[in-house]
Amino acid sequence: MLQNIRVVLVNTSHPGNIGGAARAMKNMGLSRLVLVDPEEFPSPKALARASGANDLLDNAQVVSTLEEALVGCSLVLGTSARDRRIPWPLLDPRECASKSLEQVALGGEVALVFGREYAGLTNEELQRCQFHVHIPSDPEFGSLNLAAAVQVLTYEVRMAWLAAQGAPTKMEKVEATAILDTRPVTMDELERYFEHLEQTLVEIGFLDPQKPRHLMARLRRLYGRSGISKLEMNILRGILTETQKVARGEPHKRRPDDV
Ligand code: SAH
């Protein structure tokens, strides 16, 4: 699916940015790079910034006009760092990503078009695009580095693509402690903990059973807000047990190394 979304760089002056764009694309699973009349390509500077995305540079298609770069595309999205004179349908990067995926799901091909470092895309080039995409940067300093702009758009494409697959967007930890750490504590475990806590607070003289002053209710409210896991409960119980030993003058360990 993602190979049907191409990145088109128009008239790039710094070959380093071509390499940076290739790296950004490969990180996000895109592979098709089209260069319209680049000033310097191939170039060792592009290879250096690609840091491993060499295959994208080797397979990059070099053409002399935007028209050639867009052959076969059914949706063309042009990026722009600033407002242009003629109002045009405008998307943010997230909307651009969902539109792009909708289009490839229909069997179409999509082009994300990026402009020159110094002057962006010309009005004529922008008018070849059905939609304009603006990254909502600080208007006081709105223009991103070319490769950084490619990164933002391709990241949104990847997020939308992962969501469409129902694939996780977070790395899943599967170690036993991680499972224990995320399993929530049960109400009865929490009740036993409150008993233990109250007993300890009495033993260390913090809670006066004659004058409890809503202390336990307030502590219950605090713990109720925190979504404690089983592992965290074990730690808290360990702390109480050691506190009681100190209060009773019993031998105790200095470091809790069994949690
Ligand atoms: N001085 C130029 C800046 C071009 S930056 C101008 O004002 O147009 C080079 C390219 O990076 C732009 O053509 C565009 O493709 C992309 N880019 C930079 N900042 C962007 C932004 N905020 N939103 C969308 N694209 C951006």
Side-chain angles (χ1 to χ4, degrees):
M1 230 173 148
L2 293 181
Q3 70 271 20
N4 290 328
I5 302 179
R6 69 184 78 166
V7 167
V8 178
L9 304 183
V10 177
N11 206 199
T12 311
S13 20
H14 295 295
N17 281 335
I18 299 176
R23 179 184 188 173
M25 288 171 64
K26 189 163 178 169
N27 284 147
M28 298 300 125
L30 275 76
S31 54
R32 199 150 163 219
L33 178 61
V34 185
L35 306 172
V36 179
D37 190 25
E39 278 190 19
E40 191 187 326
F41 188 82
S43 155
K45 287 179 218 152
L47 268 179
R49 282 275 303 278
S51 59
N54 303 18
D55 51 331
L56 265 75
L57 295 180
D58 293 343
N59 297 326
Q61 189 188 348
V62 181
V63 295
S64 50
T65 63
L66 179 58
E67 205 173 344
E68 290 166 82
L70 301 180
V71 169
C73 285
S74 47
L75 176 66
V76 181
L77 302 143
T79 53
S80 174
R82 58 200 157 104
D83 287 340
R84 304 283 159 161
R85 252 160 284 152
I86 314 164
W88 214 260
L90 193 63
L91 303 175
D92 69 25
R94 205 152 290 174
E95 293 166 332
C96 157
S98 58
K99 238 189 194 354
S100 303
L101 287 173
E102 261 167 41
Q103 191 62 212
V104 292
L106 293 170
E109 289 195 30
V110 177
L112 306 176
V113 186
F114 296 82
R116 301 154 187 84
E117 289 91 333
Y118 299 108
L121 293 167
T122 64
N123 285 333
E124 201 195 347
E125 286 161 346
L126 279 166
Q127 284 160 23
R128 286 191 173 264
C129 307
Q130 284 119 301
F131 293 92
H132 293 170
V133 185
H134 176 69
I135 299 163
S137 45
D138 187 332
E140 301 291 318
F141 193 68
S143 172
L144 279 79
N145 163 265
L146 173 60
V150 171
Q151 185 73 83
V152 172
L153 261 66
T154 53
Y155 165 75
E156 289 293 348
V157 165
R158 182 160 192 84
M159 286 297 276
W161 180 72
L162 289 171
Q165 316 277 304
T169 52
K170 292 172 216 158
M171 287 204 242
E172 306 275 359
K173 278 195 192 163
V174 285
E175 305 116 59
T177 54
I179 290 165
L180 186 64
D181 207 7
T182 52
R183 249 175 41 221
V185 75
T186 60
M187 278 301 144
D188 47 296
E189 286 166 335
L190 203 55
E191 266 327 300
R192 285 203 294 279
Y193 171 72
F194 287 135
E195 275 166 32
H196 195 175
L197 178 64
E198 187 168 7
Q199 200 188 341
T200 310
L201 294 178
V202 171
E203 282 181 35
I204 63 170
F206 193 82
L207 173 62
D208 178 355
Q210 308 309 317
K211 270 189 279 168
R213 295 175 192 277
H214 307 300
L215 178 66
M216 288 314 295
R218 289 186 170 121
L219 287 173
R220 276 174 181 272
R221 193 175 54 192
L222 164 67
Y223 283 104
R225 282 202 306 270
S226 39
I228 298 170
S229 70
K230 285 192 191 294
L231 187 81
E232 288 160 345
M233 179 102 298
N234 287 348
I235 296 170
L236 291 172
R237 293 276 247 149
I239 293 172
L240 293 183
T241 303
E242 292 308 305
T243 306
Q244 286 176 313
K245 284 186 193 161
V246 175
R248 294 170 189 166
E250 290 170 9
H252 63 95
K253 59 182 170 208
R254 292 214 164 265
R255 277 186 299 117
D257 47 16
D258 63 346
V259 289

